[in-house]
């Protein structure tokens, strides 16, 4: 009955002369998503009918849900940032802000240089950029500096997202805090 009332309103909108598209969901007998477009037909200025087209978007909606679930799992378990091909930060998750001490606003539009601890050599950084600029995944450990000056270590994977020509268009950096592990290893060596 609820769906019938929605469709009645859709046809009223279409018969008033409005073209539009709606997404509908039904769980009977199985999950089913459809994208329904309504187009009024006219004779002069008068609406004489409505053309209605529907397409099954169930696979797309399930894929979107799966991607959302993956993103949520990644955001809950790791420190994540996304940069453009120049290394300018376009996205950081909450974990990134917590460990770095910077707010999202302070990070967006800047490069990761804002976290530079001075620990790594130019050769180390050149290897990272050469690897990722060539479309390859880079893995390693970083010593970063938080906003308050505290040093922290992260185990990092940088994955380039490539265009059709195999050139990076953006990068996702997935890291995990390994500061405690590094400090314990250092204590054992001393």
């Amino acid at each position: 009955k609820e769906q019938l009332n929605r469709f009645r309103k859709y046809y009223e909108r279409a018969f008033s002369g409005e073209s539009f598209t709606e997404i509908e969901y039904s769980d009977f007998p199985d999950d089913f998503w459809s994208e329904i477009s309504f187009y009024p037909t006219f004779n002069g200025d008068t609406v004489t009918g409505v053309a209605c087209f529907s397409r099954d978007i169930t696979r797309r909606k399930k894929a979107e849900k799966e991607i959302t679930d993956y993103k949520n799992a990644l955001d809950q378990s790791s420190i994540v940032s996304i940069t453009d091909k120049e290394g300018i930060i376009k996205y950081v998750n909450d974990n990134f802000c917590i460990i770095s001490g910077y707010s999202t606003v302070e990070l967006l539009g800047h490069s990761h240089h804002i976290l530079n601890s001075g620990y790594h050599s130019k050769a180390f950084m050149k290897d990272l950029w050469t690897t990722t600029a060539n479309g390859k995944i880079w893995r390693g450990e970083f010593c970063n500096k938080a906003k308050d000056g505290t040093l922290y270590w992260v185990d990092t994977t940088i994955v380039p997202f490539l265009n059709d020509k195999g050139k990076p268009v953006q990068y996702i950096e997935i890291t995990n805090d390994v500061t405690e592990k590094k400090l314990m290893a250092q204590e054992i060596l001393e």
Side-chain angles (χ1 to χ4, degrees):
K1 184 163 176 135
E2 184 181 313
Q3 191 175 33
L4 184 61
N5 286 335
R6 275 198 314 276
F7 272 84
R8 192 171 287 128
K9 288 179 183 177
Y10 293 161
Y11 278 101
E12 287 172 5
R13 284 172 61 191
F15 272 104
S16 74
E18 180 183 354
S19 295
F20 59 95
T21 300
E22 294 288 342
I23 305 293
E24 280 289 321
Y25 170 75
S26 173
D27 61 0
F28 179 79
D30 294 312
D31 287 343
F32 179 77
W33 289 90
S34 59
E35 181 178 76
I36 307 168
S37 298
F38 297 84
Y39 301 98
T41 57
F42 292 89
N43 183 2
D45 290 339
T46 305
V47 176
T48 56
V50 173
C52 178
F53 301 94
S54 177
R55 69 181 176 136
D56 180 354
I57 60 168
T58 304
R59 286 177 60 189
R60 183 184 92 197
K61 294 299 274 184
K62 286 181 177 180
E64 288 171 357
K65 170 78 168 89
E66 189 172 356
I67 289 168
T68 300
D69 289 346
Y70 287 144
K71 180 188 178 303
N72 184 46
L74 193 60
D75 279 341
Q76 293 303 311
S77 65
S78 299
I79 302 159
V80 180
S81 67
I82 297 175
T83 68
D84 65 14
K85 66 182 179 179
E86 306 302 324
I88 302 303
I89 299 169
K90 300 296 180 191
Y91 169 82
V92 292
N93 70 354
D94 291 342
N95 292 334
F96 194 107
C97 295
I98 290 166
I99 195 167
S100 72
Y102 289 97
S103 70
T104 301
V105 172
E106 291 173 301
L107 292 163
L108 297 182
H110 292 87
S111 73
H112 280 89
H113 190 74
I114 195 169
L115 306 172
N116 187 351
S117 66
Y119 180 86
H120 301 285
S121 69
K122 287 183 181 182
F124 177 91
M125 297 307 294
K126 183 177 180 189
D127 173 63
L128 179 157
W129 279 106
T130 300
T131 301
T132 56
N134 285 318
K136 306 255 189 297
I137 296 171
W138 184 91
R139 289 180 178 90
E141 291 184 343
F142 264 107
C143 179
N144 285 332
K145 184 166 61 171
K147 184 177 180 179
D148 68 4
T150 306
L151 298 181
Y152 64 94
W153 282 88
V154 288
D155 182 36
T156 301
T157 302
I158 301 174
V159 180
F161 288 10
L162 309 176
N163 65 17
D164 293 340
K165 296 178 183 174
K167 300 292 182 195
V169 293
Q170 67 180 11
Y171 302 96
I172 184 167
E173 182 178 303
I174 303 164
T175 67
N176 290 289
D177 184 2
V178 294
T179 306
E180 196 171 306
K181 190 188 313 183
K182 287 292 257 188
L183 293 174
M184 286 180 8
Q186 192 174 15
E187 281 180 23
I188 290 170
L189 291 174
E190 292 176 355

